[in-house]
Amino acid sequence: MQATMENNDEQTNQAVPEGEAPAKNQHHGLIAALTVILSVILAAVIFLVMWYWGDSYPDLKDFKESIAIPGLDEGATPAGIEVFKPTSGDYSGEEFIFTAANMKDGTSRIYVTGKTRGYCGYVTLAYENGDPFTEGVNGIALDNYTMWVASGTTVYVDHSSTNNAVINSIISRAIENEAEEYEMQSVEFTGSFAANCNADFIFLYYGTSTNYLYVGETRAAKDATRKVETSGGDTNNALMIAYQESTGQTYGLVNLSDTYDKDGNEVTAPKITSMYCIPSSITGAAVTDSAGTNELALIQDNGYKSSTMLVYDFSSSTGMTKSSQKYNALYGGSFRFDGLYGKAGSAYTDGTIKVYTADSAHLDYTYTLPALAGELAVGANDETIYVLFKSGASGYKAKVRQITREVYRIDLPGKD
């Protein structure tokens, strides 16, 4: 009996072989590891839920859906928008929405959608020699005689001396392409000019007596090359340049006189009418002229989280024009026209250009919108602003909280 008890004690006190853990401790370790892994997974799920669905855009209730952005399923990345109503020809009186896009194969298109007839088709853009345009589009603007396309630091132009010839050609060729009645149609540029800034967006304003083409640049907040501290306490890092429309002149704009290139050859170049000192990260602009109340809308791209639409008082009595300054006073030197010369070997500069500053002192409304909002356009009634988004393009869909596949519009004046 005693021997049996001694044997049991030996079995009970027998040491665990070196390198082996008790089964109970192994279970505890496995549970702890699984807990850590599940915690990480849960945190990731919560983050993704908050990232994609947790954000909301209450300001979007003030906007309405206009049209589905065409070309997204064909690999198009939206890059520009214009709304225009021809005044003569087969399409007279009907409002059309034109959306410019860059394709995966390096070409660029203009998609045409009629407000009443719906989607019409598209045309491709081409150089003067007919080769496909492959430099990328940043924006588009149209009037009765001219189409302007922003690209890089250049504005490309399709200009005609015949009223509505350019726009009617775009519409009819888009319809032909969609019907596949002819060989694929394109629209060829007739010329180009240096934008005097980065041509990141473009907009044509129809005034009561004078029209202006605005070409603007998107610069980061850390870019000090345009840095200005405004009277309202803001820091602006970019410029928007205004040219005056003139349908009978080259490029459809008022031109400088007696300008020459560096080799002494006479050249034609548009004359800058005025400039606008604007915030960083602006990707689109529009000016409304509703019931005598002018508003300047700027769209600000804040990355993959959201966009901001800033609406400034643009009236002559109370708005931005009250704080106008000369370029040399604001920037400390004359503005040098890009690549243009007054005479051979002498740079053409101008320090007397008026610069209007957009700052919080003139800010009327602010809208928070879904990510990757781009160019803006104004409808034929001069009150409706259209907003184009690129988040529905294949290269962006996985990175944004809200994929926006429609053009949105809002009627100004805005918030109550």
Side-chain angles (χ1 to χ4, degrees):
M1 180 70 176
Q2 183 177 358
T4 303
M5 292 178 63
E6 288 177 356
N7 290 338
N8 290 339
D9 290 341
E10 288 178 1
Q11 292 176 3
T12 303
N13 298 325
Q14 187 175 8
V16 177
E18 186 178 354
E20 293 184 12
K24 190 173 183 179
N25 290 344
Q26 290 179 348
H27 291 160
H28 286 169
L30 179 60
I31 291 172
L34 288 175
T35 301
V36 172
I37 293 172
L38 290 174
S39 298
V40 171
I41 294 173
L42 180 61
V45 170
I46 292 174
F47 172 79
L48 290 173
V49 169
M50 293 300 295
W51 176 255
Y52 284 104
W53 295 287
D55 200 21
S56 62
Y57 302 97
D59 290 343
L60 203 58
K61 71 180 186 303
D62 295 328
F63 293 73
K64 297 179 181 178
E65 293 183 7
S66 175
I67 64 166
I69 300 173
L72 294 177
D73 296 333
E74 301 171 355
T77 299
I81 185 170
E82 178 64 286
V83 181
F84 196 83
K85 182 186 295 185
T87 57
S88 64
D90 294 338
Y91 314 106
S92 177
E94 182 176 355
E95 190 168 270
F96 290 86
I97 298 176
F98 303 84
T99 53
N102 297 311
M103 309 305 293
K104 288 184 177 180
D105 65 359
T107 62
S108 298
R109 295 177 179 178
I110 297 177
Y111 289 90
V112 181
T113 305
K115 197 167 184 179
T116 57
R117 72 177 65 203
Y119 177 70
C120 298
Y122 70 85
V123 294
T124 57
L125 294 176
Y127 295 101
E128 295 178 65
N129 62 2
D131 291 339
F133 182 76
T134 56
E135 296 180 45
V137 172
N138 293 332
I140 179 176
L142 283 162
D143 76 351
N144 296 90
Y145 294 85
T146 312
M147 175 183 69
W148 298 272
V149 171
S151 174
T153 58
T154 303
V155 176
Y156 290 86
V157 182
D158 183 10
H159 178 67
S160 173
S161 59
T162 303
N163 186 28
N164 286 283
V166 172
I167 192 167
N168 285 333
S169 176
I170 294 173
I171 297 170
S172 62
R173 293 183 182 189
I175 293 173
E176 291 172 2
N177 285 343
E178 184 65 13
E180 299 181 349
E181 295 178 358
Y182 302 92
E183 183 179 354
M184 188 59 64
Q185 299 291 305
S186 63
V187 174
E188 298 176 4
F189 295 119
T190 58
S192 64
F193 64 89
N196 294 290
C197 65
N198 294 335
D200 296 317
F201 59 89
I202 194 167
F203 172 76
L204 183 70
Y205 165 64
Y206 287 86
T208 53
S209 58
T210 307
N211 305 331
Y212 294 96
L213 181 72
Y214 295 95
V215 182
E217 60 188 11
T218 303
R219 288 183 180 269
K222 63 183 179 181
D223 190 340
T225 58
R226 305 281 199 211
K227 185 177 180 179
V228 169
E229 301 294 333
T230 74
S231 59
D234 306 310
T235 301
N236 290 355
N237 297 80
L239 279 179
M240 183 171 68
I241 295 176
Y243 301 93
Q244 183 177 336
E245 182 204 45
S246 178
T247 58
Q249 296 191 51
T250 305
Y251 312 127
L253 303 170
V254 173
N255 295 310
L256 289 166
S257 59
D258 300 324
T259 49
Y260 300 84
D261 64 18
K262 61 183 179 181
D263 298 319
N265 301 312
E266 188 171 5
V267 294
T268 301
K271 179 181 180 180
I272 293 177
T273 302
S274 58
M275 293 183 180
Y276 296 81
C277 176
I278 60 175
S280 60
S281 304
I282 300 299
T283 56
V287 178
T288 66
D289 188 9
S290 172
T293 301
N294 290 62
E295 302 279 5
L296 169 65
L298 300 176
I299 200 78
Q300 193 170 47
D301 184 355
N302 302 313
Y304 290 110
K305 181 180 179 180
S306 63
S307 304
T308 305
M309 192 165 102
L310 307 167
V311 183
Y312 297 89
D313 184 349
F314 200 55
S315 59
S316 59
S317 58
T318 61
M320 291 170 53
T321 54
K322 288 187 68 176
S323 61
S324 62
Q325 300 183 59
K326 304 295 185 183
Y327 185 91
N328 53 7
L330 193 62
Y331 290 94
S334 296
F335 181 82
R336 183 182 182 278
F337 282 71
D338 190 11
L340 306 180
Y341 298 80
K343 58 182 180 180
S346 178
Y348 192 105
T349 60
D350 192 345
T352 66
I353 300 172
K354 282 187 178 181
V355 182
Y356 304 125
T357 305
D359 61 31
S360 55
H362 306 120
L363 188 61
D364 282 347
Y365 317 111
T366 301
Y367 297 91
T368 300
L369 300 176
L372 302 179
E375 262 216 325
L376 304 177
V378 171
N381 62 1
D382 290 328
E383 296 179 2
T384 304
I385 290 182
Y386 292 79
V387 187
L388 180 68
F389 295 85
K390 63 179 180 181
S391 57
S394 59
Y396 301 98
K397 290 188 292 186
K399 303 176 184 178
V400 298
R401 299 186 180 192
Q402 179 170 321
I403 298 173
T404 309
R405 297 176 63 90
E406 295 81 23
V407 174
Y408 277 79
R409 60 183 176 88
I410 184 173
D411 294 332
L412 294 180
K415 297 182 177 181
D416 296 331

